Amino acid sequence: TRYLLAKPNAAHYALATLAHPPTLARIAPSTAQPIHVTQNVDALALRVLESLPSSQEDKDAGTLSPADSIIEMHGDIFVTRCTSCQHLQRSYAPQLASALADLEKGQDSDARPQLTVDQLPKCGGDAWAGSNRYGRCGGLLRPKVVWFGEMPPRSGEIARKMSGCDMLLVVGTSSIIK
């Protein structure tokens, strides 16, 4: 649950402000709206972008929404994807299944958790009662993040945007995978 307590820092706010239409209009009036690419899965950049005020003028001008102006290269830990129906859901709840809450409370940190497949988070939640409807199909949920060995799903899009950009800022990364 530590990731739930994470807060954006000054760098998150500085980068988001650069992409904010009123700021961008003052510093680079003829520039298209930038795309923010992040390798982090903590959604801090998105939360900052969503917290900035937007005006009706921005919406009328076709300014991208915060969710559309950011590419979370390695996904978002707060979004789950059903492995059966592919339903996506954002949740800031500490646990997605009651068994996980029980596990966090009662397990020795060295003990290996003992869960059955029936106790894992599922599409429709703990109260799933056999429906097969989209978003309530009972399929297993997984975080919408890229695991080691998986290819980031939007890497081609990122490469195209980078090859055609006028300016690229790289902040806070070693670009080394360990």
Side-chain angles (χ1 to χ4, degrees):
T1 57
R2 288 190 328 220
Y3 56 89
L4 288 168
L5 302 174
K7 301 282 185 232
N9 63 34
H12 291 103
Y13 284 98
L15 290 171
T17 301
L18 285 175
H20 192 231
T23 305
L24 189 62
R26 287 193 311 269
I27 59 174
S30 61
T31 302
Q33 186 172 2
I35 298 295
H36 183 147
V37 179
T38 181
Q39 295 185 67
N40 297 332
V41 297
D42 57 18
L44 292 177
L46 179 61
R47 286 192 264 172
V48 170
L49 285 168
E50 289 175 337
S51 74
L52 296 174
S54 65
S55 67
Q56 186 59 44
E57 196 174 284
D58 295 337
K59 293 172 188 161
D60 294 342
T63 302
L64 295 175
S65 72
D68 293 332
S69 68
I70 189 165
I71 298 174
E72 294 170 310
M73 182 176 185
H74 294 127
D76 183 338
I77 196 70
F78 296 105
V79 176
T80 56
R81 178 178 57 82
C82 175
T83 57
S84 295
C85 73
Q86 307 306 311
H87 180 258
L88 297 175
Q89 180 177 339
R90 175 174 294 279
S91 173
Y92 295 106
Q95 290 88 21
L96 297 171
S98 58
L100 298 178
D102 296 342
L103 216 168
E104 193 170 280
K105 284 185 240 168
Q107 289 287 337
D108 178 6
S109 62
D110 294 331
R112 191 157 206 171
Q114 299 297 314
L115 289 175
T116 65
V117 171
D118 292 339
Q119 293 174 296
L120 294 174
K122 53 180 136 330
C123 187
D126 284 343
W128 179 71
S131 169
N132 65 353
R133 296 185 63 191
Y134 177 73
R136 292 189 295 258
C137 76
L140 293 178
L141 297 179
R142 68 162 274 180
K144 190 176 173 265
V145 298
V146 176
W147 301 121
F148 284 102
E150 294 179 334
M151 182 65 135
R154 297 179 74 183
S155 57
E157 177 187 0
I158 293 166
R160 282 190 302 280
K161 290 185 182 294
M162 286 176 59
S163 67
C165 72
D166 294 325
M167 181 172 72
L168 176 66
L169 297 176
V170 179
V171 179
T173 184
S174 65
S175 296
I176 296 172
I177 299 174
K178 293 182 181 184

